[in-house]
Amino acid sequence: MRDIAVFSGSAHPELAAEVCTHLGVPLSPTRVSRFANDCLEVQLQANCRERDVFLVQPLVKPVQEHLVELLLMCDAARGASAGRITVVMPHYSYARSDKKDEPRISLGGRLVADLMVAAGASRVLAMTLHSPQVHGFFSVPVDHLHALRELAAHFRGYDLSRTTVVSPDLGNAKEAAAFARMIGAQVAAGAKQRFADDRVSINSVIGEVAGRDVIVLDDEIAKGSTVLELLERLRELGPRSIRVACTHGLFAAGALKRLSDQDDILEIVCTNTVPIPREEHTEKLRVLSIAPALSEAVRRIHNGESVSALFDAPRSE
């Protein structure tokens, strides 16, 4: 593939390398260094002039370090006369800061979007944003992918004749309904109220769960408090089996172990939008690759072809 350059920040170079393998292009080297005063410096070590430049960097812990690194990569590409700069951001952590629900609170989702554009980004390729309105925070085109097809392909290996997809809350119910249609299952949702970042209450589950095989579907799992709270309600209803699935397996503060220790969770499925340290893997964890989807989107963006035709999530009826 000519006139394309793919660079990776330090957040998830393994995913960037896998994307490049599917594209059939080399992963161009990036040098990240630090001044004596602790400021970061980035050098893109391949020609960018008039090329289609793709910068792969999910915003994962340490988020602020990786964000500044990404901004510096954008600036370096712009200074090197790149023809177009596309930020490939499999996980946008600031998408959770998307509404003013308290007085004098910051809107990080919009601010960070503005910073990327100011740094030189001319396009963004994202995966499963936390809420649909975040798409509109960007003043440049955004191609918003989802991982429902990858998750559906995995679960089609099971008997789905008595399956219910359960969304932990009504906000994620639309995505759960789309996933349920893809695998021919029923859908249910929890009635959730959040009191803090890691403290939630789910009073009931709306939908048929008793005696059925349940797939709990969420966009991301951080501390796992929502899933654990939902499990309490599900157990009261008596499902036949429980599996957990998400796009972004953040698994902060030992969440993966806490979920794996639940005897009635048979499987935990996520994608590799974010890196999961090998030492944290458990026997119940299944990690699906979204590199083929990302690489196909990159190819289509580069060739000026439709991306939405492949990756738009099915709309609710």
Side-chain angles (χ1 to χ4, degrees):
M1 189 178 292
R2 298 178 57 189
D3 302 318
I4 186 172
V6 181
F7 298 90
S8 174
S10 59
H12 202 349
E14 297 83 6
L15 176 60
E18 192 177 347
V19 169
C20 286
T21 298
H22 286 280
L23 284 171
V25 301
L27 178 61
S28 299
T30 305
R31 179 181 64 83
V32 179
S33 57
R34 198 178 293 268
F35 290 106
N37 65 357
D38 202 40
C39 292
L40 289 173
E41 181 183 63
V42 170
Q43 182 185 33
L44 304 179
Q45 297 183 307
N47 180 30
C48 296
R49 186 173 296 273
E50 300 305 323
R51 301 182 77 186
D52 205 359
V53 172
F54 292 85
L55 308 175
V56 183
Q57 181 87 321
L59 295 187
V60 295
K61 188 178 178 180
V63 173
Q64 281 59 243
E65 290 269 323
H66 289 142
L67 171 59
V68 173
E69 191 177 295
L70 175 59
L71 296 175
L72 293 173
M73 291 170 69
C74 290
D75 181 70
R78 179 175 58 182
S81 302
R84 179 174 60 181
I85 302 169
T86 300
V87 170
V88 181
M89 190 169 49
H91 178 57
Y92 184 33
S93 52
Y94 273 99
R96 295 188 68 164
S97 179
D98 63 347
K99 56 187 175 295
K100 188 174 179 180
D101 52 2
E102 294 182 44
R104 299 169 298 281
I105 197 167
S106 59
L107 288 176
R110 186 189 62 193
L111 172 63
V112 173
D114 289 342
L115 288 174
M116 289 184 204
V117 176
S122 48
R123 193 177 196 97
V124 173
L125 175 60
M127 173 75 73
T128 312
L129 294 170
H130 185 64
S131 55
Q133 63 265 30
V134 175
H135 191 140
F137 288 175
F138 291 87
S139 58
V140 295
V142 177
D143 292 303
H144 185 196
L145 280 60
H146 63 80
L148 297 185
R149 286 178 175 82
E150 286 74 15
L151 293 170
H154 172 80
F155 283 105
R156 287 193 188 106
Y158 299 109
D159 178 7
L160 300 175
S161 59
R162 290 184 55 81
T163 297
T164 297
V165 177
V166 180
S167 170
D169 54 50
L170 298 178
N172 197 56
K174 185 174 181 179
E175 182 171 308
F179 181 66
R181 287 198 301 273
M182 293 176 74
I183 64 174
Q186 293 186 22
V187 65
K192 183 177 81 172
Q193 183 178 6
R194 182 175 291 278
F195 300 99
D197 183 54
D198 60 349
R199 191 164 65 89
V200 300
S201 173
I202 297 177
N203 299 319
S204 61
V205 176
I206 305 166
E208 187 178 354
V209 170
R212 299 184 65 82
D213 300 310
V214 165
I215 300 173
V216 176
L217 178 70
D218 209 350
D219 62 326
E220 66 179 54
I221 297 177
K223 292 186 177 181
S225 54
T226 295
V227 175
L228 291 173
E229 176 72 10
L230 179 61
L231 281 176
E232 295 299 320
R233 303 288 79 75
L234 290 175
R235 287 166 181 150
E236 296 170 0
L237 299 172
R240 187 167 70 174
S241 68
I242 301 174
R243 288 178 166 85
V244 175
C246 68
T247 299
H248 309 298
L250 303 175
F251 301 130
L256 182 56
K257 184 179 187 304
R258 285 197 300 275
L259 293 175
S260 297
D261 288 345
Q262 306 297 313
D263 293 336
D264 47 359
I265 294 182
L266 301 182
E267 187 178 41
I268 304 165
V269 184
C270 67
T271 74
N272 61 344
T273 53
V274 302
I276 303 173
R278 178 60 58 179
E279 61 271 16
E280 294 184 13
H281 283 215
T282 70
E283 291 184 358
K284 293 183 178 181
L285 179 66
R286 303 290 182 271
V287 181
L288 312 178
S289 178
I290 47 88
L294 286 177
S295 62
E296 178 63 11
V298 167
R299 186 191 68 78
R300 285 173 171 259
I301 290 170
H302 177 66
N303 292 335
E305 301 174 11
S306 171
V307 175
S308 61
L310 285 178
F311 299 112
D312 272 352
R315 296 185 179 276
S316 298
E317 299 299 332

